[in-house]
Amino acid sequence: MVARKTFFSFHYKKDNWRASIVRNSWVTQDSAGFFDSADWEAVKKKDDSSIEKWIDNQLSGTSVTVILIGSDTYGRKWINYEITSSWKKGNGLLGIYIHNIKDKDEKTSTKGLNPFTQWKFTLSGEEVSIPTYDWIKDDGYNNLGKWIEDAAKRRGR
């Protein structure tokens, strides 16, 4: 299986630690959407159109977007933008609940709401649901590649 360039979306301030666990499992793959805190701190001070352009540049060349769902992911402005932009560009989408991954203090968090329920997604005129998985319960470490490939295939990529 060929590695797909994948964009990972997450609530940076709250979930960066948990997202890094997922990232490290994918470190040998071709992924986008992980950046250091200095990059994000600089970008988020800009105006909305500059942030949108930066996100669109991050999405460039990707075929799948993974939304890492933490306790406060639902309804976040820039995650919503990443979801809608990803769908418009034809990326496969999937969500992974990361609340069961321990943070730097060895604590888990509460399960967040599914951010995909805010939209209706259609393919060939049919409404489709976006699959979600639990990183711990569904063995994300061993299944992430399959989940990404399935998401790409659903979009014909």
Side-chain angles (χ1 to χ4, degrees), residues 8-10 17-18 24 26 31-32 34 42 61 64 67 72 78 80 82 93-94 99-100 102 119 127-128 139 149 155:
F8 289 86
S9 172
F10 55 95
W17 185 273
R18 290 179 178 96
N24 289 339
W26 194 242
S31 62
F34 280 97
V64 175
I67 307 301
D72 295 330
W78 297 117
N80 289 348
E82 291 162 351
L93 286 173
L94 69 123
H99 64 287
N100 286 322
K102 291 180 180 175
W119 298 275
E127 189 172 334
V128 296
D139 191 13
E149 189 63 25
R155 289 304 303 266

Side-chain angles (χ1 to χ4, degrees), residues 89-105:
K89 80 178 281 305
N91 273 19
L93 286 173
L94 69 123
I96 301 174
Y97 289 98
I98 58 172
H99 64 287
N100 286 322
I101 299 173
K102 291 180 180 175
D103 66 12
K104 66 182 177 355
D105 299 318

Side-chain angles (χ1 to χ4, degrees), residues 80-147:
N80 289 348
Y81 181 80
E82 291 162 351
I83 291 170
T84 57
S85 292
S86 294
W87 188 257
K88 285 178 187 173
K89 80 178 281 305
N91 273 19
L93 286 173
L94 69 123
I96 301 174
Y97 289 98
I98 58 172
H99 64 287
N100 286 322
I101 299 173
K102 291 180 180 175
D103 66 12
K104 66 182 177 355
D105 299 318
E106 295 291 309
K107 294 183 178 171
T108 59
S109 65
T110 57
K111 184 177 182 179
L113 298 173
N114 181 340
F116 299 118
T117 61
Q118 300 171 90
W119 298 275
K120 289 186 188 281
F121 298 94
T122 58
L123 284 174
S124 305
E126 299 281 324
E127 189 172 334
V128 296
S129 61
I130 304 301
T132 59
Y133 308 92
D134 183 288
W135 181 258
I136 299 295
K137 293 178 182 172
D138 297 324
D139 191 13
Y141 184 83
N142 288 307
N143 289 312
L144 181 59
K146 178 187 180 316
W147 298 340

